[in-house]
Amino acid sequence: MNFEELNLAPAIVQAVREHGYETPTPIQAEAIPAVLAGRDLLGGAQTGTGKTAAFTLPMLHRLSVGERAKSKFGGVAIRALVLTPTRELAAQVEESVRVYGKHLSLTSTVIFGGVGMNPQINAMKRGVDILVATPGRLLDLQQQGFLDLSGVQMLVLDEADRMLDMGFIHDVKKILALVPKEKQSLLFSATFSDEIRDLANNLLKDPLSIQVTPRNTTVQRISQVIHPVGRGKKKALLVHIINQHNWSQVLVFTRTKFGANNVAEYLTKNGIQAMALHGNKSQGARTQALAGFKSGDIRALVATDIAARGIDIDELPHVVNYEIPNVSEDYVHRIGRTGRAGKSGEAVNLVSLDEEGFMMDIERFTKQEIPVQRFEEFMPEPGERAEPIAMGRQTIWGGAGKPPSRDVMAAAAKAARTEMLQRVREKKADAPQGRGNGNGGGQRQRPAA
Ligand code: AMP
């Protein structure tokens, strides 16, 4: 299959070729003909699969052969609306629209919060063919009377699961009430909870369902290693590894926002320029972190799962799982940030005794045995034992074998929480003017798989 066979307008195929794509990815090969034919779509896909082009290319085609209409402001009516959970993803999707649509005369813009409203208001008055937006700012504009969605013919909900995770369900429902009932709708989600299924059932008419599982092809291309490590030695091991390989760009994953801040601070103190990326950061700080990372000023970006998903950094060579995810799918999402679009990558797992069970689940899920490499000076202390992991109010068991009795779990959870609170208090005492960064309480805590 090649792009010429998909019946896309030659101007679109030309742009895709100029961008260096040779063959459509599996989701593109399946989705593009269906969307061109006007069908609704339910796409089970995460970033890294090529899903953005899967909806953008046929969208551009349909709009380019359709007629422009006028909005109630007298400008161009919005004919396609793409909703995304984050500002970063919105900006990336709109950038893709521009890249693939560069030989067409369609117009697009992106709207998200955290930046001035006036340019966005002016853009809405003039109107665009394609609007990419996050739900919150879009509703702000609507409430102020600057938005006309009555001409929408195509609606895309991108990363719908994340949109719900981030608490946007009411906003999304309000926006759905503003667009015409008769339209083509596409919904993409990496996971399918009951809530997503409800949303899909209400929105989509006789949709084509496509499920792409990049896991094996992606996972198999990425070289992976497990370093066993003592609970208190992880940060030092991370510094050791980054320095040993002289890595200039590494994405480090932690389970919580607190952890991300903590690790980023430690790296910086030890001579490795690092920044944390998570949902509590302001838009300015997030943009700065990403720009610094891309330009090479920041060597390590320390991120939580939610913050890191959807960020498109081409050719990211190294991913470190500083904390092992308790949900195996998250492992695939994380390491999929490297080894993109056919490139090879490297993923390093720092596994304490508390996480050996998670790592075994991941090996079963991805059907592979990951080689183990020991650094003797960073191994667990003699006599060190697995302990349950406290995540917010929940305690999860990630060690090898069966979890200990409920009493032991409860006592360990209490001790871990006390220790965490103590650390937060110490931090506050250190920096009285600083704002608390939270301990990940706002993040979704998925149950142990
Ligand atoms: P996405 O899943 O949309 O975030 O895309 C993941 C990455 O794959 C992006 O860096 C795209 O530029 C790239 N990509 C998308 N489609 C193709 C293709 N057909 N061939 C090569 N790379 C692609």
Side-chain angles (χ1 to χ4, degrees), residues 244-309:
Q244 184 192 36
H245 299 285
N246 202 13
W247 283 342
S248 56
Q249 201 185 38
V250 53
L251 180 60
V252 179
F253 281 97
T254 59
R255 214 173 279 127
T256 65
K257 299 170 196 172
F258 179 84
N261 286 334
N262 198 259
V263 171
E265 251 172 55
Y266 184 87
L267 290 176
T268 304
K269 272 193 198 140
N270 284 275
I272 297 167
Q273 237 4 63
M275 269 187 101
L277 187 78
H278 54 64
N280 285 5
K281 293 263 167 179
S282 71
Q283 177 60 22
R286 281 152 67 173
T287 310
Q288 196 195 340
L290 270 177
F293 191 55
K294 285 186 182 176
S295 72
D297 291 342
I298 291 170
R299 284 172 72 189
L301 200 58
V302 190
T304 56
D305 291 276
I306 295 209
R309 271 169 60 188

Side-chain angles (χ1 to χ4, degrees), residues 55 67 125 143 147 172 181 240 242 267 289 306 365 419:
F55 65 79
E67 299 261 314
K125 284 185 186 155
Q143 275 147 16
L147 191 68
V172 170
K181 263 204 149 6
H240 178 80
I242 295 177
L267 290 176
I306 295 209
F365 179 73
E419 193 193 314

Side-chain angles (χ1 to χ4, degrees), residues 3 21 23-25 28 46-52 312 314 340-341:
F3 280 105
Y21 300 170
T23 45
T25 65
Q28 291 162 5
Q46 63 217 28
T47 52
T49 55
K51 70 176 165 60
T52 315
D312 188 14
D314 282 337
R340 284 265 185 112

Side-chain angles (χ1 to χ4, degrees), residues 218-225 335 338 344-348 370:
T218 309
V219 164
Q220 278 155 15
R221 237 190 355 253
I222 298 167
S223 85
Q224 298 154 70
V225 64
I335 73 164
T338 175
S344 61
E346 193 174 6
V348 167
I370 303 173

